[in-house]
Amino acid sequence: MILEARDLYTAYGLSQVLFGVAVTVDVGQAVCLLGRNGVGKTTTLRSLIGLTPPRAGHVVFDGMDITGWAPYRVARQGIAFVPQERRLFGDLSVRENLEVARRGTRGASAWGVERVYETFPILEQLDARRAGYLSGGEQQMLAIGRALMGNPRLLILDEPSEGLAPLVVDALCEHIRALKADGMTILMAEQNLTLALALSERVYILDKGHVRFAGTVAEFEADTTLRDEYLAV
Ligand SMILES: Nc1ncnc2c1ncn2[C@@H]1O[C@H](COP(=O)(O)OP(=O)(O)OP(=O)(O)O)[C@@H](O)[C@H]1O
Ligand SMILES: [Mg+2]
């Protein structure tokens, strides 16, 4: 197990959002948090990486208790986060966005601009383009590429498909699948069930800050009531 979070209680001021959330991720797995708008998916991810430290509970990453650590320390420990709103530098070029994210010494397996371009060939063609002029799908690939520049052992994606056209989602799905085949461990939040089920080994369903279901994709698919109760709009 590379990530184990237990009993997370997180609040924004007086507003309690998570009530005892538990999430685990094994090395090489892709795990997905599902659930409707506002159920606490982003808050769970933010609780793991110190952006919104939990009031109670524990987060253990690779055997180290990182509960409440500052986000930069969590990043240094090997967790990269691609936020829902992507947060690129719109005035910087594609290459510059990647280069500002470079971190640490470059070993043989380390990520660099060239490896990101091998993973997302479209970005190489857009090398000098300002990030602000990229399409939504291109921006999402750049945001993932930037996260990879930190050489993470766990990649966390918050709704990577949000706002993207179906064909673009398909392309993104293939890229994430290739990253996984390359050995990357992934935790994501998604509302696109097709993407989530195509990529994940295990899923969690969140509802009002509680985990209502945790299991394999096969277990999820076997219980058709889950979709109606917690996912359908
Ligand atoms: N910074 C904040 N301050 C106060 N309340 C917040 C803040 N961020 C989120 N919330 C509230 O916490 C709850 C959970 O929000 P969260 O963003 O975690 O949900 P989500 O599952 O990621 O939703 P979405 O699918 O819309 O991204 C919501 O009720 C939301 O309004
Ligand atoms: Mg969210």
Side-chain angles (χ1 to χ4, degrees):
M1 210 172 320
I2 192 165
L3 181 81
E4 181 179 20
R6 297 187 306 272
D7 263 338
L8 297 180
Y9 286 80
T10 304
Y12 297 102
L14 292 175
S15 154
Q16 187 73 36
V17 174
L18 300 186
F19 300 87
V21 167
V23 174
T24 62
V25 183
D26 283 328
V27 176
Q29 269 193 342
V31 171
C32 189
L33 309 181
L34 298 168
R36 295 190 178 108
N37 290 119
V39 296
K41 301 182 297 296
T42 297
T43 304
T44 299
L45 300 180
R46 292 176 60 91
S47 300
L48 299 175
I49 58 173
L51 281 171
T52 308
R55 299 266 169 96
H58 286 281
V59 182
V60 176
F61 177 65
D62 201 16
M64 176 97 69
D65 190 330
I66 62 164
T67 317
W69 280 24
Y72 78 92
R73 281 184 74 201
V74 174
R76 225 182 256 169
Q77 206 62 28
I79 304 181
F81 178 56
V82 179
Q84 204 163 349
E85 61 281 7
R86 293 164 198 158
R87 301 244 176 102
L88 297 165
F89 296 106
D91 288 334
L92 297 187
S93 71
V94 165
R95 177 177 289 271
E96 287 164 343
N97 266 279
L98 293 173
E99 279 174 346
V100 295
R102 191 193 297 285
R103 192 170 59 80
T105 50
R106 296 184 61 193
S109 70
W111 285 87
V113 174
E114 301 320 315
R115 186 160 167 212
V116 170
Y117 284 171
E118 280 165 29
T119 306
F120 301 105
I122 184 77
L123 293 180
E124 183 161 27
Q125 294 165 35
L126 298 166
D127 175 81
R129 178 101 32 112
R130 285 187 187 189
Y133 293 120
L134 301 182
S135 73
E138 292 158 357
Q139 289 192 8
Q140 185 62 48
M141 289 181 205
L142 179 55
I144 295 173
R146 184 182 54 180
L148 294 171
M149 290 292 288
N151 300 307
R153 284 176 291 153
L154 172 64
L155 180 63
I156 299 184
L157 308 174
D158 195 356
E159 298 209 32
S161 79
E162 194 181 30
L164 305 183
L167 279 177
V168 180
V169 173
D170 291 347
L172 184 67
C173 185
E174 287 317 307
H175 283 300
I176 297 175
R177 198 197 302 278
L179 271 178
K180 219 186 120 184
D182 202 28
M184 186 59 70
T185 306
I186 297 169
L187 171 63
M188 62 185 160
E190 248 310 332
Q191 295 209 47
N192 182 320
L193 201 53
T194 312
L195 177 88
L197 299 181
L199 291 173
S200 311
E201 273 87 18
R202 288 172 48 248
V203 300
Y204 289 84
I205 296 179
L206 289 180
D207 178 51
K208 301 192 187 93
H210 296 265
V211 174
R212 304 294 189 190
F213 170 86
T216 64
V217 166
E219 286 163 347
F220 168 79
E221 287 181 323
D223 186 348
T224 51
T225 61
L226 292 171
R227 291 174 196 231
D228 297 337
E229 197 160 353
Y230 299 118
L231 304 178
V233 280

